Amino acid sequence: MKLKKKVTTALGMTALAVTISASAMAADTIKVGILHSLSGTMAISETTLKDTMLMLIDEQNKKGGVLGKKLEAVVVDPASNWPLFAEKAKELIEKEKVVATFGCWTSVSRKSVLPVFEEQNSLLFYPVQYEGEESSRNVFYTGAAPNQQAIPAVDYLMTEIGVKRWVLAGTDYVYPRTTNKILEAYLKAKGVAAADIMINYTPFGHSDWQSIVADIKKFGSEGKKTAVVSTINGDANVPFYKELGNQGITADNIPVVAFSVGEEELSGIDTKPLVGHLAAWNYFMSVDSEVNDAFIESWQKFIKSENRVTNDPMEAHYIGFNMWVKAVEKAGTTDAEAVQDAIIGVTVPNLSGGYSAMMPNHHITKPVLIGEIQDDGQFEIVWQTSGLEVGDAWSDYLEGSKDLISDWRKPLSCGAYNVVTAKCSGTN
Amino acid sequence: MNTVLQFIITGLLFCLPILSTSVAFGATQSAEFEQGVQLLASKSFTEKEQAIHMIGNSGDPLAIKTLQAVYAGKLFFVKKDKTLVYGEPDGSTYSVTDFISGEDLGLIKKRKLKKITINNKLRGVLKSVLAGLNLQHPDPKQRLAAAEEILTGLNPELITLLKKSLLTEQDPEVREALTSALAVAGLHHQDPQQRLASLALIAGNLNPVVKNAIQALIEKENDPIVLKKAEAALKVIEAKSTWYARLETLFFGLSLGSVLVLAAIGLAITFGVIGVINMAHGELIMLGAYTTYVLQQLMPNYIGLALALSIPAAFCVSGLTGILIEKSVIRFLYGRPLETLLATFGISLVLQQTVRSIFSPLNRSVATPDWMSGSLVINPLLSLTTNRVTIFLFAMIVFAGLFVLLKKSSLGLNVRAVAQNRNMARAMGVKAARVDALTFGLGSGIAGIAGVALSQLTNVGPNLGQAYIIDSFMVVVFGGVGNLWGTLVGGLSLGIANKFLEPWIGAVLAKIIILIFIILFIQKRPQGLFPQKGRAAE
């Protein structure tokens, strides 16, 4: 009560006298921003991440906070509206004076807030798998880059299942388009003929999959082992899998490997027609490790439901948050500049029983797991990389990006350094 | 004597339902079977594959049952003492029976069991091994399925099995399947005469495997007669497949069209008859879908019944919501289309967020009854998915019902009277305000029914309605405002056009082209396909 009063007074004072610096106000708490949609189309995925952050912050406070101060979560709702993301980000940084923000889901929302974080020099932790081809000084990508999800999944299908023909099916927006471009280049480099690759895009929320599934069936009936690599987003997956089941395509004749289907998405659907289809992630709820058991237990306790599941982006926030805490403690300050330097090389436990490290390109190291969907909506892990994969900001398989590297350590400090021309081309 | 007994037992076992666990088999197990079962516990999938082959070859009476249980993912090892058990999920625990002895071991916690996991490769291996075993199954249907399964993955081992079962097979259908499977294998025979004979046997077969086999034959054939025959056979198959592909596309189009009709027909009444631009129409559909979800939650064991009951329930829920909206908002805005549009758009957001708050933003899972999953297989090239067929029929029934209601009932008469000339109708004693509310309720109720159907096709979530509102308006405007036939013809033709365009130019472009077409169409014919005639059409 007392604390709350103090905060309110402090807030009031800052509102009155803008000249009072942020550090004076932050005497009581350190503010952390949470920028996830709580309404609109993306609420389905992002609400969970907001709750995850609240739980992590709560747990950290129980451990005594950071630098001797309690953390305070500032939650805003950008309502699945991309321009509003930028506005809310600005509000978090300028008005609320948060020292770091955890948020965004879609690539378009990240692109929308990127200039804000760069201009204000604040930190964003982005927890979702994405298409790569970006590296900003102010963003830490704790989700998977294509080489930490898509490429290993294709390798698995090629070597373990013996797939010879490929259907790249995706929703029509930047993540699937870029990922499929990378995959197409990769497959061709591996000797797959153009006639053996079928690429298909569908609008957001596509629900009538009849003819596309019939095409896939026809494409797959020509004698060579066929697989579908799906970057189909969100809601469109359910009718897609239903149609596959109804048209008699099972996982053992044409397996589908998806990059956007996780435990959370599966909890809303009847998984019978999906059993055996695959997903590639860096974490599954079914991972057998003690940290994971503890995480699941505290999550279900926090959310007060034994039915709630955990998923990959939640783990990404878990890793990202712990990295930030460790970096702040290492730097001894929450100052963005200092944390940026301190966080590179920070290593924290991930939930699959190993450790993840923040690399100089602001991506992290992760294991890659392939799981088969089970009838209870969980994944059975059927394959995993022997070691950790380092997230690659710039794909090695695309013209124009294969010569680029990103290294935010001084003195290079560059997000897109061309190793051939030895020039730094912009910051992202 | 002993062997005879064993033979009888073996025979009996095949007849027993696969999952019966009450008989003790101890004595009949071969060493190979036991070794195989032990190997199943291995972590390596390669070793498991060996294990499957060992069990398959063991000839053990338990073999089929074991492999089927592995395939279904119901075989476990107890972590502590490595006993092989059969488990059925029971909440968070498993009800477990000892697999070999059939002894009931009661409930065991999930974490204490180790499931025998399989991956897709093993699923394929299991299928083919099981198919080999099932060739001797007493049920001819099972034998037929086995023979068809073998056709997709022929190998020398299975060919020997096929030949063996052909000697004893009596059922003509199964014999045919066995013969064509052998004929596909026979295409590789060294003797051109044999190849020719095999070719003749499978010439009319539409199975894609056959087509691939003939294609492969053409590529390396050097005997001119065989080559000519093979090419002719391929031509016939290809001609048939194009024909069936067209038929399939037509079915897809009709099915998409029926969904459009279902979604739009409620709007055809509210928009067409009383002229209200109801942006919340999609949310009324969503309410219908959520009603289905709630009813299924209330009756988790009667999914089909719940679905049937949700048709009237959804009609009431959405209909009453519709009447409430009409009475509280729209009534005050008649004749002001812009304000109506804005107000109903606001209502749609309110309804969405309400559902989000009550049911959470996550999608809800609505189960599909068994009779609505799978497909009606007409031949290997053409199969119609059952859920689409059901929904097409459902849409036609709803349309017919609504049509009769409007044409034959007194409510229908009043509705048409008010729509044609409000003042005149009032002068004749029709309570126009009441008719407006009822019409709006009827349109909304139909939207609810559409929601029940959509819950079987797509996600049940707060955004369900948004996906259909544009399409619904498109259909109504295209078909002609205020005309039910227009909605039917408009919806079906848009569905078919969309499906014929899709394979050429992709789903995204197909949608755009349809939209452009409609824009051009209403430039030319602003009244739609079936314009209203007479005085009502000012």
Side-chain angles (χ1 to χ4, degrees):
Chain A
M1 197 64 207
K2 217 174 194 175
L3 184 79
K4 212 173 169 187
K5 216 172 189 176
K6 254 187 189 168
V7 176
T8 351
T9 357
L11 266 174
M13 273 164 63
T14 28
L16 285 170
V18 212
T19 39
I20 294 177
S21 70
S23 55
M25 186 201 67
D28 298 299
T29 56
I30 296 174
K31 286 193 175 185
V32 177
I34 302 175
L35 183 65
H36 283 301
S37 302
L38 310 177
S39 54
T41 42
M42 290 312 295
I44 174 174
S45 310
E46 294 193 61
T47 314
T48 314
L49 290 185
K50 178 218 57 173
D51 291 330
T52 311
M53 280 313 299
L54 290 179
M55 173 183 86
L56 291 170
I57 289 171
D58 185 52
E59 281 181 354
Q60 189 64 35
N61 280 340
K62 280 187 193 144
K63 280 189 265 176
V66 179
L67 299 178
K69 291 178 197 163
K70 295 271 182 217
L71 296 176
E72 184 191 342
V74 184
V75 181
V76 289
D77 176 16
S80 313
N81 175 343
W82 319 137
L84 195 59
F85 265 91
E87 235 169 84
K88 291 284 176 188
K90 208 162 189 167
E91 180 189 319
L92 280 176
I93 303 166
E94 281 189 346
K95 203 171 130 234
E96 301 285 352
K97 309 275 179 212
V98 301
V99 295
T101 304
F102 293 79
C104 296
W105 181 288
T106 58
S107 287
V108 42
S109 66
R110 189 190 68 250
K111 294 275 185 206
S112 156
V113 300
L114 197 63
V116 178
F117 280 94
E118 285 181 347
E119 187 197 317
Q120 307 277 338
N121 196 15
S122 187
L123 306 177
L124 171 70
F125 287 82
Y126 176 67
V128 184
Q129 95 279 13
Y130 84 120
E131 67 280 1
E133 307 302 299
E134 183 184 300
S135 176
S136 164
R137 188 163 55 103
N138 299 84
V139 183
F140 298 94
Y141 307 84
T142 50
N147 74 316
Q148 288 174 307
Q149 192 185 25
I151 301 243
V154 165
D155 277 338
Y156 166 78
L157 289 173
M158 212 183 277
T159 54
E160 303 280 314
I161 311 282
V163 172
K164 299 271 189 306
R165 303 196 98 195
W166 304 84
V167 180
L168 309 181
T171 302
D172 204 1
Y173 74 109
V174 53
Y175 166 66
R177 286 243 175 213
T178 317
T179 307
N180 284 347
K181 219 190 285 168
I182 294 171
L183 286 180
E184 197 187 355
Y186 180 73
L187 287 172
K188 284 186 175 154
K190 288 270 174 181
V192 177
D196 285 335
I197 303 175
M198 167 178 156
I199 299 183
N200 184 293
Y201 292 106
T202 39
F204 266 99
H206 192 66
S207 63
D208 197 281
W209 289 94
Q210 302 179 85
S211 36
I212 291 160
V213 169
D215 278 351
I216 291 174
K217 198 173 169 185
K218 223 169 282 157
F219 188 78
S221 70
E222 287 175 21
K224 288 182 187 166
K225 182 76 189 170
T226 308
V228 180
V229 178
S230 150
T231 37
I232 296 164
N233 190 272
D235 285 3
N237 277 300
V238 178
F240 174 61
Y241 283 108
K242 261 193 188 167
E243 192 64 39
L244 283 177
N246 283 336
Q247 293 202 19
I249 296 181
T250 52
D252 47 331
N253 45 51
I254 303 180
V256 178
V257 57
F259 304 144
S260 310
V261 176
E263 289 85 350
E264 186 90 6
E265 286 77 15
L266 290 181
S267 71
I269 57 179
D270 183 14
T271 44
K272 252 183 285 152
L274 281 70
V275 172
H277 288 302
L278 305 153
W281 289 107
N282 308 109
Y283 164 81
F284 287 115
M285 187 180 177
S286 60
V287 161
D288 206 8
S289 79
E290 271 172 36
V291 268
N292 185 33
D293 288 350
F295 180 75
I296 294 171
E297 199 179 311
S298 54
W299 165 244
Q300 291 179 340
K301 214 167 119 197
F302 179 82
I303 207 80
K304 296 192 185 69
S305 159
E306 291 219 339
N307 301 322
R308 287 300 289 272
V309 292
T310 56
N311 64 11
D312 182 271
M314 285 171 71
E315 192 222 15
H317 260 342
Y318 172 85
I319 296 172
F321 179 75
N322 286 335
M323 281 181 168
W324 175 77
V325 169
K326 222 170 163 183
V328 168
E329 274 165 358
K330 192 168 137 195
T333 164
T334 56
D335 180 62
E337 204 86 30
V339 174
Q340 271 166 26
D341 287 338
I343 201 168
I344 290 172
V346 160
T347 305
V348 297
N350 57 31
L351 291 180
S352 42
Y355 285 85
S356 285
M358 178 60 75
M359 303 310 283
N361 62 359
H362 285 190
H363 289 62
I364 67 172
T365 58
K366 294 177 147 204
V368 184
L369 315 173
I370 310 267
E372 278 185 9
I373 299 171
Q374 303 292 304
D375 49 6
D376 57 356
Q378 289 290 319
F379 290 88
E380 190 72 53
I381 296 161
V382 290
W383 183 82
Q384 71 183 83
T385 45
S386 47
L388 296 173
E389 289 285 325
V390 180
D392 190 8
W394 302 99
S395 172
D396 300 340
Y397 300 97
L398 285 184
E399 274 313 314
S401 100
K402 60 183 174 198
D403 298 330
L404 296 178
I405 58 156
S406 154
D407 192 332
W408 289 106
R409 282 174 303 189
K410 285 173 182 136
L412 190 58
S413 272
C414 176
Y417 181 78
N418 193 317
V419 286
V420 179
T421 58
K423 268 186 198 143
C424 181
S425 55
T427 47
N428 59 63
Chain B
M1 192 60 199
N2 207 357
T3 43
V4 173
L5 198 69
Q6 205 166 337
F7 183 68
I8 293 170
I9 292 176
T10 321
L12 274 175
L13 281 174
F14 273 110
C15 308
L16 279 174
I18 355 154
L19 299 179
S20 90
T21 42
S22 51
V23 193
F25 306 112
T28 54
Q29 271 149 49
S30 63
E32 201 178 5
F33 177 77
E34 240 167 59
Q35 257 185 327
V37 167
Q38 264 160 19
L39 209 54
L40 272 183
S42 159
K43 270 204 165 165
S44 138
F45 285 116
T46 338
E47 280 181 13
K48 279 188 201 172
E49 192 180 333
Q50 273 179 10
I52 292 168
H53 283 299
M54 279 167 92
I55 296 172
N57 293 335
S58 69
D60 192 279
L62 262 176
I64 290 194
K65 201 183 115 188
T66 316
L67 296 181
Q68 266 165 343
V70 174
Y71 188 78
K74 291 191 168 162
L75 215 49
F76 300 82
F77 277 100
V78 180
K79 273 185 189 164
K80 208 165 51 188
D81 52 3
K82 297 270 169 217
T83 12
L84 184 67
V85 293
Y86 179 84
E88 282 282 355
D90 186 357
S92 61
T93 55
Y94 278 86
S95 127
V96 163
T97 44
D98 189 305
F99 192 73
I100 308 288
S101 69
E103 188 191 339
D104 194 346
L105 299 176
L107 295 173
I108 296 188
K109 276 231 168 99
K110 198 176 167 185
R111 287 252 162 203
K112 292 196 173 151
L113 293 172
K114 176 93 190 77
K115 186 164 161 183
I116 297 177
T117 53
I118 49 173
N119 60 8
N120 284 319
K121 198 173 167 204
L122 287 189
R123 267 190 204 101
V125 174
L126 273 170
K127 257 192 183 173
S128 111
V129 171
L130 272 172
L133 292 173
N134 272 338
L135 279 179
Q136 303 298 331
H137 201 280
D139 180 4
K141 270 194 194 138
Q142 291 280 346
R143 292 202 299 274
L144 186 64
E148 275 165 4
E149 174 62 37
I150 287 175
L151 181 60
T152 59
L154 281 170
N155 64 37
E157 232 172 275
L158 288 172
I159 291 171
T160 354
L161 276 178
L162 283 175
K163 282 186 181 151
K164 214 170 83 193
S165 30
L166 191 60
L167 293 176
T168 53
E169 184 56 60
Q170 301 293 327
D171 190 278
E173 240 182 300
V174 184
R175 274 195 79 88
E176 203 191 315
L178 290 174
T179 333
S180 26
L182 280 172
V184 170
L187 289 177
H188 302 294
H189 204 280
Q190 283 166 351
D191 179 5
Q193 285 307 317
Q194 287 284 345
R195 292 204 293 271
L196 215 52
S198 301
L199 197 57
L201 274 172
I202 52 170
N205 197 320
L206 291 178
N207 196 310
V209 179
V210 172
K211 187 182 162 194
N212 293 335
I214 297 180
Q215 256 167 350
L217 178 71
I218 291 174
E219 272 165 30
K220 56 173 194 186
E221 182 59 63
N222 36 32
D223 186 295
I225 305 169
V226 182
L227 189 63
K228 213 173 147 194
K229 286 267 178 200
E231 275 168 353
L234 189 64
K235 230 179 197 165
V236 172
I237 293 177
E238 270 171 357
K240 276 194 184 161
S241 22
T242 3
W243 165 244
Y244 282 118
R246 272 190 215 131
L247 217 59
E248 195 179 41
T249 316
L250 183 70
F251 169 71
F252 290 161
L254 282 176
S255 136
L256 174 64
S258 66
V259 172
L260 290 177
V261 169
L262 261 184
I265 200 161
L267 196 70
I269 295 174
T270 50
F271 180 44
V273 177
I274 49 177
V276 171
I277 301 180
N278 180 15
M279 294 301 282
H281 180 73
E283 277 58 47
L284 293 166
I285 296 179
M286 172 194 75
L287 286 183
Y290 270 97
T291 312
T292 319
Y293 165 73
V294 171
L295 276 180
Q296 277 196 353
Q297 290 308 104
L298 292 177
M299 300 192 274
N301 296 325
Y302 305 95
I303 289 170
L305 182 67
L307 194 65
L309 283 181
S310 38
I311 296 171
F315 183 84
C316 295
V317 170
S318 294
L320 290 176
T321 316
I323 291 179
L324 190 72
I325 296 173
E326 204 274 344
K327 285 279 177 206
S328 59
V329 180
I330 294 174
R331 182 156 72 99
F332 305 106
L333 299 170
Y334 279 123
R336 287 149 68 189
L338 206 61
E339 281 94 327
T340 322
L341 192 145
L342 279 176
T344 48
F345 184 63
I347 292 171
S348 85
L349 293 181
V350 170
L351 285 175
Q352 269 179 43
Q353 202 60 36
T354 312
V355 166
R356 217 171 261 138
S357 310
I358 298 175
F359 293 97
S360 98
L362 298 179
N363 287 337
R364 299 285 104 179
S365 152
V366 173
T368 308
D370 282 337
W371 50 269
M372 266 182 85
S373 19
S375 43
L376 298 167
V377 182
I378 292 170
N379 65 38
L381 287 178
L382 184 68
S383 44
L384 310 178
T385 45
T386 339
N387 62 345
R388 297 281 179 173
V389 174
T390 320
I391 283 170
F392 178 76
L393 294 176
F394 182 66
M396 294 308 117
I397 293 170
V398 170
F399 176 80
L402 199 59
F403 197 76
V404 170
L405 185 78
L406 282 183
K407 288 280 169 202
K408 303 279 175 209
S409 75
S410 68
L411 171 71
L413 188 67
N414 287 344
V415 168
R416 280 181 297 141
V418 172
Q420 278 172 20
N421 194 323
R422 175 175 293 263
N423 292 333
M424 187 63 84
R426 286 180 64 183
M428 303 295 283
V430 177
K431 286 184 187 139
R434 188 165 162 271
V435 170
D436 281 341
L438 284 179
T439 317
F440 199 84
L442 178 67
S444 308
I446 299 287
I449 291 184
V452 178
L454 287 179
S455 75
Q456 294 301 313
L457 291 181
T458 182
N459 298 288
V460 177
N463 306 318
L464 169 69
Q466 281 184 331
Y468 288 93
I469 185 78
I470 304 285
D471 286 345
S472 306
F473 271 109
M474 214 163 74
V475 169
V476 173
V477 170
F478 177 63
V481 173
N483 191 315
L484 283 188
W485 283 112
T487 307
L488 181 72
V489 175
L492 291 183
S493 45
L494 285 184
I496 293 171
N498 202 333
K499 284 295 154 188
F500 273 93
L501 284 174
E502 223 172 69
W504 285 352
I505 50 176
V508 182
L509 264 182
K511 222 168 174 178
I512 295 173
I513 288 191
I514 295 276
L515 275 169
I516 292 176
F517 164 74
I518 287 184
I519 293 170
L520 294 177
F521 182 83
I522 52 176
Q523 294 291 324
K524 196 82 193 147
R525 274 184 79 129
Q527 314 254 282
L529 277 180
F530 292 80
Q532 276 188 328
K533 292 185 193 86
R535 241 177 293 176
E538 351 85 83

